[in-house]
PDB file of all heavy atoms in Angstrom:
ATOM      1  N   LEU X1899      16.275 -31.316   1.952  1.00 89.00           N
ATOM      2  CA  LEU X1899      16.046 -30.139   1.118  1.00 89.00           C
ATOM      3  C   LEU X1899      16.497 -30.352  -0.322  1.00 89.00           C
ATOM      4  O   LEU X1899      15.850 -29.919  -1.265  1.00 89.00           O
ATOM      5  CB  LEU X1899      16.750 -28.922   1.716  1.00 89.00           C
ATOM      6  CG  LEU X1899      16.185 -27.569   1.265  1.00 89.00           C
ATOM      7  CD1 LEU X1899      14.708 -27.488   1.601  1.00 89.00           C
ATOM      8  CD2 LEU X1899      16.928 -26.441   1.938  1.00 89.00           C
ATOM      9  N   LYS X1900      17.627 -31.062  -0.492  1.00 89.00           N
ATOM     10  CA  LYS X1900      18.141 -31.262  -1.850  1.00 89.00           C
ATOM     11  C   LYS X1900      17.109 -31.966  -2.723  1.00 89.00           C
ATOM     12  O   LYS X1900      16.927 -31.612  -3.887  1.00 89.00           O
ATOM     13  CB  LYS X1900      19.420 -32.114  -1.806  1.00 89.00           C
ATOM     14  CG  LYS X1900      20.667 -31.340  -1.496  1.00 89.00           C
ATOM     15  CD  LYS X1900      21.904 -31.983  -2.134  1.00 89.00           C
ATOM     16  CE  LYS X1900      23.154 -31.152  -1.833  1.00 89.00           C
ATOM     17  NZ  LYS X1900      23.478 -31.097  -0.405  1.00 89.00           N
ATOM     18  N   LYS X1901      16.455 -32.952  -2.125  1.00 87.00           N
ATOM     19  CA  LYS X1901      15.452 -33.709  -2.895  1.00 87.00           C
ATOM     20  C   LYS X1901      14.325 -32.762  -3.337  1.00 87.00           C
ATOM     21  O   LYS X1901      13.905 -32.773  -4.489  1.00 87.00           O
ATOM     22  CB  LYS X1901      14.905 -34.838  -2.001  1.00 87.00           C
ATOM     23  CG  LYS X1901      13.790 -35.646  -2.670  1.00 87.00           C
ATOM     24  CD  LYS X1901      13.361 -36.821  -1.804  1.00 87.00           C
ATOM     25  CE  LYS X1901      12.429 -36.335  -0.709  1.00 87.00           C
ATOM     26  NZ  LYS X1901      11.822 -37.412   0.073  1.00 87.00           N
ATOM     27  N   TYR X1902      13.856 -31.954  -2.403  1.00 86.00           N
ATOM     28  CA  TYR X1902      12.754 -31.057  -2.723  1.00 86.00           C
ATOM     29  C   TYR X1902      13.177 -29.995  -3.724  1.00 86.00           C
ATOM     30  O   TYR X1902      12.436 -29.650  -4.646  1.00 86.00           O
ATOM     31  CB  TYR X1902      12.231 -30.367  -1.458  1.00 86.00           C
ATOM     32  CG  TYR X1902      11.572 -31.297  -0.477  1.00 86.00           C
ATOM     33  CD1 TYR X1902      12.136 -31.530   0.768  1.00 86.00           C
ATOM     34  CD2 TYR X1902      10.389 -31.936  -0.807  1.00 86.00           C
ATOM     35  CE1 TYR X1902      11.540 -32.384   1.667  1.00 86.00           C
ATOM     36  CE2 TYR X1902       9.784 -32.800   0.095  1.00 86.00           C
ATOM     37  CZ  TYR X1902      10.364 -33.020   1.328  1.00 86.00           C
ATOM     38  OH  TYR X1902       9.773 -33.862   2.212  1.00 86.00           O
ATOM     39  N   SER X1903      14.403 -29.471  -3.555  1.00 88.00           N
ATOM     40  CA  SER X1903      14.798 -28.361  -4.433  1.00 88.00           C
ATOM     41  C   SER X1903      14.921 -28.828  -5.876  1.00 88.00           C
ATOM     42  O   SER X1903      14.654 -28.077  -6.804  1.00 88.00           O
ATOM     43  CB  SER X1903      16.061 -27.672  -3.954  1.00 88.00           C
ATOM     44  OG  SER X1903      17.014 -28.600  -3.547  1.00 88.00           O
ATOM     45  N   LYS X1904      15.292 -30.110  -6.069  1.00 88.00           N
ATOM     46  CA  LYS X1904      15.361 -30.616  -7.450  1.00 88.00           C
ATOM     47  C   LYS X1904      13.995 -30.522  -8.113  1.00 88.00           C
ATOM     48  O   LYS X1904      13.869 -30.058  -9.242  1.00 88.00           O
ATOM     49  CB  LYS X1904      15.808 -32.087  -7.451  1.00 88.00           C
ATOM     50  CG  LYS X1904      17.297 -32.295  -7.533  1.00 88.00           C
ATOM     51  CD  LYS X1904      17.633 -33.595  -8.270  1.00 88.00           C
ATOM     52  CE  LYS X1904      19.129 -33.912  -8.180  1.00 88.00           C
ATOM     53  NZ  LYS X1904      19.531 -34.390  -6.842  1.00 88.00           N
ATOM     54  N   ILE X1905      12.976 -30.975  -7.364  1.00 85.00           N
ATOM     55  CA  ILE X1905      11.618 -30.950  -7.920  1.00 85.00           C
ATOM     56  C   ILE X1905      11.173 -29.521  -8.205  1.00 85.00           C
ATOM     57  O   ILE X1905      10.591 -29.240  -9.258  1.00 85.00           O
ATOM     58  CB  ILE X1905      10.630 -31.606  -6.932  1.00 85.00           C
ATOM     59  CG1 ILE X1905      11.060 -33.038  -6.634  1.00 85.00           C
ATOM     60  CG2 ILE X1905       9.226 -31.612  -7.508  1.00 85.00           C
ATOM     61  CD1 ILE X1905      10.245 -33.720  -5.570  1.00 85.00           C
ATOM     62  N   PHE X1906      11.456 -28.609  -7.268  1.00 86.00           N
ATOM     63  CA  PHE X1906      11.033 -27.224  -7.462  1.00 86.00           C
ATOM     64  C   PHE X1906      11.750 -26.570  -8.635  1.00 86.00           C
ATOM     65  O   PHE X1906      11.159 -25.806  -9.386  1.00 86.00           O
ATOM     66  CB  PHE X1906      11.275 -26.403  -6.187  1.00 86.00           C
ATOM     67  CG  PHE X1906      10.391 -26.798  -5.038  1.00 86.00           C
ATOM     68  CD1 PHE X1906      10.898 -26.923  -3.758  1.00 86.00           C
ATOM     69  CD2 PHE X1906       9.049 -27.063  -5.243  1.00 86.00           C
ATOM     70  CE1 PHE X1906      10.089 -27.290  -2.709  1.00 86.00           C
ATOM     71  CE2 PHE X1906       8.231 -27.437  -4.193  1.00 86.00           C
ATOM     72  CZ  PHE X1906       8.751 -27.549  -2.914  1.00 86.00           C
ATOM     73  N   GLU X1907      13.041 -26.870  -8.764  1.00 87.00           N
ATOM     74  CA  GLU X1907      13.791 -26.270  -9.855  1.00 87.00           C
ATOM     75  C   GLU X1907      13.222 -26.712 -11.204  1.00 87.00           C
ATOM     76  O   GLU X1907      13.110 -25.919 -12.135  1.00 87.00           O
ATOM     77  CB  GLU X1907      15.262 -26.661  -9.774  1.00 87.00           C
ATOM     78  CG  GLU X1907      16.143 -25.528  -9.312  1.00 87.00           C
ATOM     79  CD  GLU X1907      17.442 -26.018  -8.732  1.00 87.00           C
ATOM     80  OE1 GLU X1907      18.102 -26.837  -9.407  1.00 87.00           O
ATOM     81  OE2 GLU X1907      17.781 -25.603  -7.611  1.00 87.00           O
ATOM     82  N   GLN X1908      12.871 -27.984 -11.284  1.00 86.00           N
ATOM     83  CA  GLN X1908      12.277 -28.484 -12.518  1.00 86.00           C
ATOM     84  C   GLN X1908      10.987 -27.726 -12.826  1.00 86.00           C
ATOM     85  O   GLN X1908      10.751 -27.290 -13.945  1.00 86.00           O
ATOM     86  CB  GLN X1908      11.977 -29.966 -12.362  1.00 86.00           C
ATOM     87  CG  GLN X1908      12.217 -30.750 -13.617  1.00 86.00           C
ATOM     88  CD  GLN X1908      11.900 -32.209 -13.421  1.00 86.00           C
ATOM     89  OE1 GLN X1908      11.045 -32.567 -12.613  1.00 86.00           O
ATOM     90  NE2 GLN X1908      12.561 -33.060 -14.159  1.00 86.00           N
ATOM     91  N   LYS X1909      10.185 -27.584 -11.790  1.00 84.00           N
ATOM     92  CA  LYS X1909       8.916 -26.862 -11.945  1.00 84.00           C
ATOM     93  C   LYS X1909       9.149 -25.438 -12.428  1.00 84.00           C
ATOM     94  O   LYS X1909       8.488 -24.950 -13.326  1.00 84.00           O
ATOM     95  CB  LYS X1909       8.206 -26.836 -10.591  1.00 84.00           C
ATOM     96  CG  LYS X1909       6.734 -27.083 -10.672  1.00 84.00           C
ATOM     97  CD  LYS X1909       6.128 -27.132  -9.295  1.00 84.00           C
ATOM     98  CE  LYS X1909       4.618 -26.943  -9.432  1.00 84.00           C
ATOM     99  NZ  LYS X1909       3.970 -26.525  -8.252  1.00 84.00           N
ATOM    100  N   ASP X1910      10.141 -24.780 -11.809  1.00 83.00           N
ATOM    101  CA  ASP X1910      10.457 -23.399 -12.190  1.00 83.00           C
ATOM    102  C   ASP X1910      10.889 -23.316 -13.632  1.00 83.00           C
ATOM    103  O   ASP X1910      10.464 -22.451 -14.384  1.00 83.00           O
ATOM    104  CB  ASP X1910      11.575 -22.837 -11.307  1.00 83.00           C
ATOM    105  CG  ASP X1910      11.034 -22.317  -9.983  1.00 83.00           C
ATOM    106  OD1 ASP X1910       9.809 -22.105  -9.902  1.00 83.00           O
ATOM    107  OD2 ASP X1910      11.831 -22.139  -9.045  1.00 83.00           O
ATOM    108  N   ARG X1911      11.768 -24.246 -14.021  1.00 85.00           N
ATOM    109  CA  ARG X1911      12.288 -24.225 -15.398  1.00 85.00           C
ATOM    110  C   ARG X1911      11.142 -24.403 -16.387  1.00 85.00           C
ATOM    111  O   ARG X1911      11.084 -23.719 -17.398  1.00 85.00           O
ATOM    112  CB  ARG X1911      13.290 -25.350 -15.601  1.00 85.00           C
ATOM    113  CG  ARG X1911      14.743 -24.880 -15.642  1.00 85.00           C
ATOM    114  CD  ARG X1911      15.629 -25.967 -16.155  1.00 85.00           C
ATOM    115  NE  ARG X1911      15.471 -27.152 -15.305  1.00 85.00           N
ATOM    116  CZ  ARG X1911      16.419 -27.619 -14.518  1.00 85.00           C
ATOM    117  NH1 ARG X1911      17.582 -27.031 -14.479  1.00 85.00           N
ATOM    118  NH2 ARG X1911      16.213 -28.679 -13.772  1.00 85.00           N
ATOM    119  N   LEU X1912      10.231 -25.321 -16.055  1.00 83.00           N
ATOM    120  CA  LEU X1912       9.099 -25.565 -16.938  1.00 83.00           C
ATOM    121  C   LEU X1912       8.274 -24.305 -17.099  1.00 83.00           C
ATOM    122  O   LEU X1912       7.885 -23.937 -18.205  1.00 83.00           O
ATOM    123  CB  LEU X1912       8.215 -26.675 -16.351  1.00 83.00           C
ATOM    124  CG  LEU X1912       7.745 -27.707 -17.367  1.00 83.00           C
ATOM    125  CD1 LEU X1912       8.922 -28.530 -17.820  1.00 83.00           C
ATOM    126  CD2 LEU X1912       6.685 -28.612 -16.771  1.00 83.00           C
TER     127      LEU X1912
END
Side-chain angles (χ1 to χ4, degrees):
Chain X
L1899 202 57
K1900 277 209 178 64
K1901 177 175 79 172
Y1902 293 114
S1903 43
K1904 270 211 188 74
I1905 302 174
F1906 292 137
E1907 253 158 50
Q1908 217 180 29
K1909 222 176 162 200
D1910 277 343
R1911 255 193 303 248
L1912 224 69

